[in-house]
Amino acid sequence: MKHVRIGGYGPGIVTLGAPGEQGLTRVTAPSFLAAHPTLPVLYAVGELERGWLTAFQADGVRLGALDERPSEGHSPCHVAVHPEGHLLAVANYGDGTATLYRLDERGAFAGEPIVLRHQGSGPNAERQEGPHAHQAVFHDGLLHVSDLGTDEIRRYHLDGTPLEPITMAPGTGPRHFAFAGSRLYVAGELDGTVTLVEGERRTVVRASRQEGENAPSHLQLHGDLVYVANRGPNTISVLRAGDLSPVAEVPSGGTWPRHFAIDGDRMYVANQNAGTVTSFRLQEDGVPVPDGESYEVESPACVLIM
């Protein structure tokens, strides 16, 4: 049976199981979660000035501590595991550092980390005074790290050797991103856009059609659609992956949708400022429709289904 795991800024990681079954694992500021691809192991960041990573053995609604390590940076906000399960990467927002850890056969941390420190800034003096790593993604044999502070998708070989970054338009503030083959989709937190990168060609659209300021958060591909959470309008946008043309935009079921997860025809949206995780059903056309279920969780920031 799959469980819905919710991280954030409340008392710890909340796990939802069968109807009425719920667990709480106390840990500080687990603002992002990731699952091992083959083992019942969950990883959580501790978004602190001295950042931490914790590995948990996932047994139903209960999580047992397996291992922990420093994130080697300030305020880790994202963690990802390589599809083969032998590497873990973490993005530290506070100082822009990204870190690679090897994982052993149990899913525990092994050896010394590879620490990838970065420098640079952007035109937004308030938000881009320095590097701010936001997401780590393993794709096509490389590690990619979005840097909101420098308007780049940084790229590294898995031994930490840097490659030329993918440069975004000044002031984009790249946050979360996703690949579909050679296509790259990027949510711009600072300019409220979604960018499709196809080689030298760029397609840029507004993430939301609503008036007012928007700080897009999570972006995810599902089938031939792109879903984007919009903080400010408090909506989920649905775009066609081929050309970013709009399909629909629906209320997120709360305020400040920080993250969402899709499992089959279900979507769970973490509305951080509302203290709710709202459940949706995806219709045949991919548009989310509320299914009437909502879960109270203090300051939710991430949803993981495993």
Side-chain angles (χ1 to χ4, degrees):
M1 173 184 176
K2 289 185 177 180
H3 294 79
V4 179
R5 319 273 186 183
I6 304 163
Y9 300 99
I13 301 170
V14 174
T15 298
L16 306 176
E21 186 182 28
Q22 183 170 315
L24 172 64
T25 303
R26 294 192 177 275
V27 60
T28 304
S31 65
F32 207 86
L33 313 174
H36 193 283
T38 59
L39 300 172
V41 176
L42 177 147
Y43 302 91
V45 303
E47 192 174 326
L48 306 166
E49 184 171 352
R50 184 170 183 251
W52 282 92
L53 292 164
T54 305
F56 294 95
Q57 194 75 35
D59 181 17
V61 297
R62 300 179 60 186
L63 299 176
L66 173 66
D67 199 2
E68 64 179 9
R69 290 287 190 279
S71 73
E72 302 293 341
H74 182 329
S75 300
C77 63
H78 189 270
V79 61
V81 185
H82 190 280
E84 295 178 4
H86 65 296
L87 285 173
L88 174 145
V90 59
N92 294 281
Y93 178 85
D95 58 6
T97 299
T99 306
L100 276 167
Y101 271 103
R102 291 189 298 278
L103 301 176
D104 66 17
E105 66 279 358
R106 301 175 301 138
F109 304 107
E112 293 298 314
I114 299 172
V115 182
L116 306 169
R117 304 196 186 279
H118 195 55
Q119 295 182 334
S121 60
N124 186 321
E126 183 177 342
R127 295 292 309 279
Q128 295 183 306
E129 80 294 343
H132 293 298
H134 229 312
Q135 186 183 28
V137 172
F138 292 102
H139 175 71
D140 202 20
L142 301 175
L143 172 66
H144 298 75
V145 179
S146 56
D147 196 317
L148 179 144
T150 66
D151 291 318
E152 295 170 317
I153 307 296
R154 295 151 50 186
R155 302 189 304 151
Y156 301 92
H157 288 295
L158 300 186
D159 63 0
T161 304
L163 297 167
E164 282 295 313
I166 298 169
T167 302
M168 307 300 298
T172 297
R175 184 183 172 98
H176 282 197
F177 61 101
F179 286 95
S182 61
R183 288 182 167 187
L184 169 64
Y185 300 84
V186 184
E189 177 176 338
L190 300 185
D191 68 357
T193 64
V194 175
T195 300
L196 168 57
V197 180
E198 301 175 274
E200 297 301 315
R201 180 184 176 189
R202 306 286 174 103
T203 302
V204 183
V205 302
R206 290 177 57 197
S208 170
R209 289 177 288 173
Q210 306 297 316
E211 295 297 325
E213 293 187 4
N214 179 25
S217 55
H218 186 53
L219 176 151
Q220 186 170 329
L221 284 161
H222 185 68
D224 59 358
L225 298 174
V226 179
Y227 296 85
V228 188
N230 299 301
R231 295 174 300 175
N234 301 320
T235 60
I236 303 295
S237 292
V238 186
L239 310 172
R240 292 183 179 86
D243 58 4
L244 297 184
S245 59
V247 174
E249 185 172 352
V250 302
S252 69
T255 52
W256 213 247
R258 171 75 174 254
H259 187 257
F260 59 85
I262 298 174
D263 182 53
D265 65 350
R266 302 296 295 275
M267 171 185 281
Y268 299 87
V269 181
N271 292 290
Q272 183 180 350
N273 291 353
T276 60
V277 173
T278 306
S279 176
F280 294 80
R281 179 178 57 84
L282 299 183
Q283 301 181 115
E284 288 188 8
D285 60 2
V287 175
V289 176
D291 64 8
E293 295 290 334
S294 184
Y295 309 93
E296 292 188 10
V297 178
E298 184 179 345
S299 196
C302 175
V303 183
L304 174 68
I305 302 169
M306 65 176 294

